[in-house]
Amino acid sequence: MRGRRAGAVIAGCMSAVAAAQSTASPELLDIYRGMVETRTVHPDGDNTAIARSVARRLLDAGFDPKDVEVLEPRPLKGNLLARLRGTGESKPLLLLAHIDVVEAHKEDWSEGLDPFRLTERDGYYYGRGSVDDKSMAAIFTETMLRLKREGFAPKRDIVLALTADEETGGSNGVEYLLRNRRTDIDAAYALNEGGGGTYRDGHPFLHSVQVSEKMYLSFDLETTSAGGHSSIPSRDNAIYDLAAGLERLARHDFPVRSSVVTRAYFAELARVEKGEVAQAAAAVGAGDASDAQVARLSRGPRYNAQLRTTCVPTRLEGGQADNALPQRAHATVNCRLMPGEDPQFVASEIQRVAGERVSVKARGKVRVSEPSDPAAPIMATIRRVSESMWPGVPVVPTMGTGATDGSRLRNAGIPVYGVSGLFVEYGESRAHGRDERLGVRALAQGNEFLYRLVRALASE
Ligand SMILES: [Zn+2]
């Protein structure tokens, strides 16, 4: 999702593949449409409807009823758990996708689009969840059906888990499975969201595999003052104090933290970036970047977020009346911590920078997440399959700047690789936002990629 186009050579190689897989199969499209058009927002969306519909499809395709379950810890919070049995030579492969989505309102979307109707327009499918994460949920479902029909005999069981409560809500999805069905989802590794490909000017440029995640932590920043009549203002003002603290925070950079994952990421990036940025990326990858090189990379928000912990104000409120001096002002500062970063250190940095007039309190605790091994054998298989579809496009291990259920599985001892083969244009970020969309060609190619990858992994 980052970087620059590798060149015309790749574009040339692509055309054959693009021609072969430019539209999704009618079956995939039907599954995808059914999922997008089932509203699964918290708290009243119906996840169970999707779980049941997928269960029905699997049973119709000949899956053994004892290998297909709909688990509903609470009404509407259904999960689908299914298993394609292998010979048992190797440990299972887990395919994880969440079926819940973030709320969306028709009036916030462009004319003619309804977030809960799948609309094809100008080469894209529009709809809430069209990217996050119903594309993968539909593709994994279609892959299970296809492998079953082909009579494929995998060396390892392939377990499909379509889950609730990833976006909001809490503990009825992956957390429920880990607590109650740990052995049924046990796996050598899991494939999940969090990775994907980047187009630059419509051409595949970079294919990322998420092996690590930043940690999410919000802080409450608060100031207070005596208040009084606004016709006789004093310098003691909670809003000025908070604004001054936030202004200092805006100019503050947290220290650079490199990890095995981010070094591998920047080393790969150096191969496809150009000029100063390529040199800086190579230096960060090698662990010997100068301050100027770090500063050069930090200019781009995406690269900056790979280099360090970030904290940014996301909400602000203060004062109690138009004609009164404020007695209180409050800001939410949302931080994304580098894995291994000490939350205490982050809190003390915010306090130091914001100043003593600002009270700083962490809201809750971070969910620690250790990276999966970016050099594990599965990466070689991912590279091989990616190369078969997008020759010359680097496969790059990345640290996700957002949070997914991957960290829960990693913490439970199941390595997770966020890989999808779904490409979006560089800089496009509509998941959770308005007019969420996925390219028609991208869906078809992602489907083919994940099918090939699951087949390859299950044959090892
Ligand atoms: Zn998601």
Side-chain angles (χ1 to χ4, degrees):
M1 305 174 183
R2 310 152 175 105
R4 187 165 300 166
R5 184 150 79 96
V9 179
I10 292 168
C13 296
M14 267 308 298
S15 51
V17 180
Q21 289 119 10
S22 53
T23 51
S25 69
E27 179 174 59
L28 172 64
L29 200 52
D30 194 47
I31 298 168
Y32 185 53
R33 182 182 304 280
M35 287 183 175
V36 170
E37 298 192 350
T38 305
R39 189 174 163 276
T40 49
V41 302
H42 181 72
D44 59 332
D46 193 354
N47 295 265
T48 309
I50 291 182
R52 286 207 182 109
S53 148
V54 170
R56 211 171 306 121
R57 285 180 189 273
L58 295 172
L59 294 173
D60 288 349
F63 275 77
D64 192 324
K66 73 174 192 317
D67 290 334
V68 178
E69 286 182 275
V70 173
L71 304 165
E72 195 183 34
R74 287 176 52 188
L76 305 177
K77 297 288 188 180
N79 301 271
L80 181 280
L81 191 58
R83 181 175 292 265
L84 181 65
R85 299 217 171 245
T87 59
E89 283 167 75
S90 307
K91 225 175 146 180
L93 160 65
L94 174 62
L95 308 178
L96 175 69
H98 67 87
I99 49 177
D100 63 319
V101 293
V102 171
E103 181 63 283
H105 300 289
K106 190 169 188 286
E107 56 272 26
D108 297 335
W109 283 41
S110 292
E111 186 71 29
L113 296 178
D114 178 336
F116 299 105
R117 288 278 164 273
L118 189 76
T119 306
E120 186 181 340
R121 182 189 279 183
D122 305 329
Y124 290 92
Y125 296 115
Y126 289 84
R128 173 57 87 232
S130 57
V131 174
D132 183 12
D133 185 26
K134 287 174 170 173
S135 48
M136 284 187 83
I139 287 171
F140 283 154
T141 301
E142 200 274 343
T143 298
M144 293 289 272
L145 294 169
R146 195 163 155 194
L147 292 173
K148 181 72 183 175
R149 281 193 215 106
E150 290 170 352
F152 178 56
K155 284 191 178 164
R156 46 177 108 237
D157 289 5
I158 304 172
V159 179
L160 173 66
L162 302 181
T163 56
D165 272 5
E166 195 273 340
E167 301 289 5
T168 42
S171 55
N172 302 295
V174 166
E175 218 180 297
Y176 172 85
L177 294 177
L178 284 169
R179 229 181 310 111
N180 298 283
R181 309 299 292 263
R182 175 68 182 82
T183 53
D184 294 328
I185 59 166
D186 194 38
Y189 39 72
L191 304 186
N192 183 34
E193 64 176 339
T198 307
Y199 294 125
R200 274 258 168 116
D201 308 320
H203 301 291
F205 164 72
L206 204 71
H207 194 183
S208 75
V209 180
Q210 192 249 49
V211 297
S212 166
E213 281 181 17
K214 280 186 140 177
M215 306 182 293
Y216 181 107
L217 184 62
S218 287
F219 289 86
D220 290 304
L221 271 61
E222 197 168 278
T223 50
T224 53
S225 49
H229 203 287
S230 62
S231 65
I232 321 162
S234 73
R235 291 194 187 280
D236 176 31
N237 183 306
I239 291 176
Y240 286 151
D241 288 343
L242 184 62
L246 292 176
E247 171 57 25
R248 285 189 291 272
L249 205 56
R251 285 180 272 112
H252 177 69
D253 280 329
F254 283 82
V256 170
R257 307 270 190 230
S258 85
S259 71
V260 58
V261 176
T262 58
R263 282 193 297 277
Y265 167 73
F266 282 109
E268 288 283 350
L269 196 67
R271 295 173 45 205
V272 288
E273 271 292 2
K274 293 196 177 82
E276 272 183 7
V277 174
Q279 285 168 13
V284 170
D288 59 6
S290 67
D291 289 352
Q293 285 174 318
V294 168
R296 179 68 191 84
L297 281 183
S298 302
R299 266 190 244 158
R302 280 164 194 273
Y303 295 162
N304 183 54
Q306 293 287 325
L307 288 166
R308 52 167 59 90
T309 291
T310 62
C311 291
V312 66
T314 50
R315 305 187 79 126
L316 189 60
E317 61 262 352
Q320 63 282 1
D322 288 356
N323 55 1
L325 296 172
Q327 289 177 277
R328 197 187 74 93
H330 173 270
T332 298
V333 170
N334 181 244
C335 298
R336 306 301 176 117
L337 279 58
M338 294 293 278
E341 187 88 86
D342 178 4
Q344 270 313 102
F345 167 75
V346 176
S348 66
E349 277 294 275
I350 296 174
Q351 183 70 72
R352 183 179 66 78
V353 174
E356 58 187 19
R357 297 187 70 91
V358 181
S359 130
V360 176
K361 282 201 187 76
R363 205 184 292 164
K365 287 192 165 65
V366 295
R367 186 164 82 215
V368 174
S369 173
E370 288 301 316
S372 302
D373 182 2
I378 180 178
M379 287 297 292
T381 308
I382 294 172
R383 285 204 166 88
R384 197 179 73 234
V385 175
S386 182
E387 189 67 20
S388 77
M389 303 250 336
W390 303 287
V393 176
V395 171
V396 184
T398 57
M399 173 188 66
T401 51
T404 74
D405 275 334
S407 60
R408 294 182 200 277
L409 289 180
R410 289 189 184 109
N411 290 347
I414 302 173
V416 179
Y417 293 84
V419 58
S420 71
L422 295 167
F423 280 68
V424 298
E425 187 65 27
Y426 177 78
E428 176 156 316
S429 166
R430 298 180 182 218
H432 296 198
R434 77 194 288 267
D435 298 354
E436 182 177 350
R437 67 179 187 180
L438 180 65
V440 169
R441 178 186 62 155
L443 178 69
Q445 292 188 357
N447 183 23
E448 181 61 23
F449 170 77
L450 283 174
Y451 164 78
R452 289 186 196 180
L453 179 62
V454 169
R455 215 184 149 100
L457 292 171
S459 304
E460 292 177 351

